């Protein structure tokens, strides 16, 4: 998926979900669901997982804190900002001590970062930023699914707080990382988030650069099958 082969990734995730449905191993079923969530997030259809995620939280209380991280992003992506904020605020109040400290920590924290940005929760954005800043040169992945470069999330967090120079630095780093490792889907995402920041910053030359980045993001998103990202890029190019 991170290299832009979303159709192939969806086929593999479907096979994984089929195996998950035939096993009683809870961890395997949950990891399969998270893999599906990461894929659908890139495709712009994460909101479709709401019912399944809520059922999973009820059925697997021992995994609830991990699953709630993805649930918050599901809510934010589907426009239920109040529900997303409720989960974000809970994690902020506990200083993220209830975020799984295992190998999933960076993936979960990066997911919360994207959620805070999508929900417009600047308090959560300010709290998450210093927690993941030390990992700015990494990709948020446990190896089999991903939330992309941490620098992309940091750039979006900085944008949400109007720290535009920091945002540009992070987006440039994320772009270089994506180009180096051929991460096509996250390169498209990073370019669009950078373009949105430039439009918001509105310095001389920003709008021309934003249009160039958004055009590249749109072309890639259409080729890859990232419909949600393509729609966002069109909105920016159309001035909406």
């Amino acid at each position: 998926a991170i290299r832009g082969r979303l159709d192939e990734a969806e086929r593999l995730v479907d096979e994984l979900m089929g195996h998950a449905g035939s096993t009683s191993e809870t961890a395997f079923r949950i990891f399969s669901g998270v893999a599906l969530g990461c894929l659908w997030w890139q495709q712009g259809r994460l909101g479709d997982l709401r019912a399944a995620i809520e059922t999973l939280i009820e059925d697997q209380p021992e995994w609830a804190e991990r699953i709630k991280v993805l649930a918050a992003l599901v809510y934010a992506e589907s426009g239920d900002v109040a529900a997303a904020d409720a989960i974000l605020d809970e994690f902020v109040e506990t200083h993220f001590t209830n975020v799984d400290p295992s190998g999933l920590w960076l993936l979960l924290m990066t997911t919360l970062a994207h959620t805070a940005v999508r929900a417009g929760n600047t308090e959560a954005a300010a709290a998450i930023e210093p927690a993941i800043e030390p990992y700015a040169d990494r990709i948020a992945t446990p190896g089999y699914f991903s939330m992309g470069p941490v620098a992309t999330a940091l750039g979006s967090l900085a944008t949400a707080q109007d720290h535009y120079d920091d945002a540009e630095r992070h987006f440039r780093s994320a772009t270089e990382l994506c180009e180096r490792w051929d991460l096509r889907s996250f390169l498209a995402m990073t370019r669009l988030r950078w373009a949105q920041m430039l439009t918001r910053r509105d310095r001389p030359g920003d709008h021309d650069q934003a249009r160039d980045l958004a055009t590249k993001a749109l072309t890639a998103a259409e080729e890859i099958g990232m419909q949600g990202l393509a729609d966002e890029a069109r909105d920016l190019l159309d001035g909406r």
Side-chain angles (χ1 to χ4, degrees):
I2 62 177
R3 288 191 165 87
R5 300 194 297 270
L6 297 190
D7 289 342
E8 180 181 349
E10 186 160 22
R11 177 182 59 79
L12 293 172
V13 170
D14 284 345
E15 291 179 5
L16 192 64
M17 293 300 292
H19 292 305
S22 62
T23 180
S24 59
E25 179 60 46
T26 299
F28 182 74
R29 291 170 58 201
I30 289 173
F31 288 154
S32 299
V34 174
L36 181 65
C38 289
L39 174 63
W40 282 17
W41 174 60
Q42 293 180 58
Q43 293 175 323
R45 41 192 295 227
L46 187 59
D48 294 344
L49 275 181
R50 178 167 185 152
I53 286 289
E54 291 175 344
T55 298
L56 199 56
I57 291 173
E58 292 178 4
D59 292 347
Q60 306 294 338
E62 70 276 18
W63 289 80
E65 292 303 314
R66 298 177 180 98
I67 302 168
K68 281 164 62 177
V69 172
L70 181 57
L73 184 57
V74 169
Y75 295 146
E77 290 285 332
S78 60
D80 191 347
V81 173
D85 280 343
I87 295 175
L88 285 167
D89 293 345
E90 176 185 328
F91 281 111
V92 170
E93 287 171 7
T94 61
H95 303 286
F96 309 109
T97 55
N98 52 341
V99 175
D100 184 356
S102 72
L104 291 175
W105 183 87
L106 187 58
L107 179 89
L108 296 173
M109 289 297 296
T110 304
T111 302
L112 288 174
H114 287 293
T115 302
V117 171
R118 182 63 78 177
N121 189 325
T122 54
E123 180 181 350
I128 295 166
E129 185 177 21
I132 64 173
E133 176 78 40
Y135 309 96
D137 61 344
R138 299 191 189 180
I139 298 170
T141 177
Y144 33 88
F145 45 82
S146 178
M147 291 299 290
V150 175
T152 301
L154 284 166
S156 297
L157 291 171
T159 300
Q161 300 170 80
D162 299 333
H163 300 162
Y164 300 128
D165 291 342
D166 289 340
E168 188 159 43
R169 172 172 55 86
H170 287 306
F171 287 136
R172 184 173 290 109
S173 296
T175 297
E176 292 171 356
L177 181 64
C178 289
E179 290 176 339
R180 186 183 319 131
W181 293 101
D182 191 27
L183 310 180
R184 293 184 65 212
S185 59
F186 290 116
L187 177 58
M189 184 180 296
T190 299
R191 282 172 167 165
L192 182 59
R193 300 295 173 245
W194 192 350
Q196 290 167 333
M197 181 279 289
L198 291 168
T199 300
R200 180 166 167 168
R201 188 173 68 177
D202 196 24
R203 291 179 186 168
D206 278 354
H207 281 268
D208 288 341
Q209 185 182 0
R211 290 192 64 82
D212 178 62
L213 287 166
T215 298
K216 290 177 179 176
L218 175 59
T219 299
E222 289 179 333
E223 290 176 352
I224 294 169
M226 302 174 73
Q227 187 56 51
L229 195 78
D231 290 342
E232 286 189 68
R234 289 189 198 94
D235 286 345
L236 187 150
L237 291 167
D238 291 343
R240 295 198 294 269

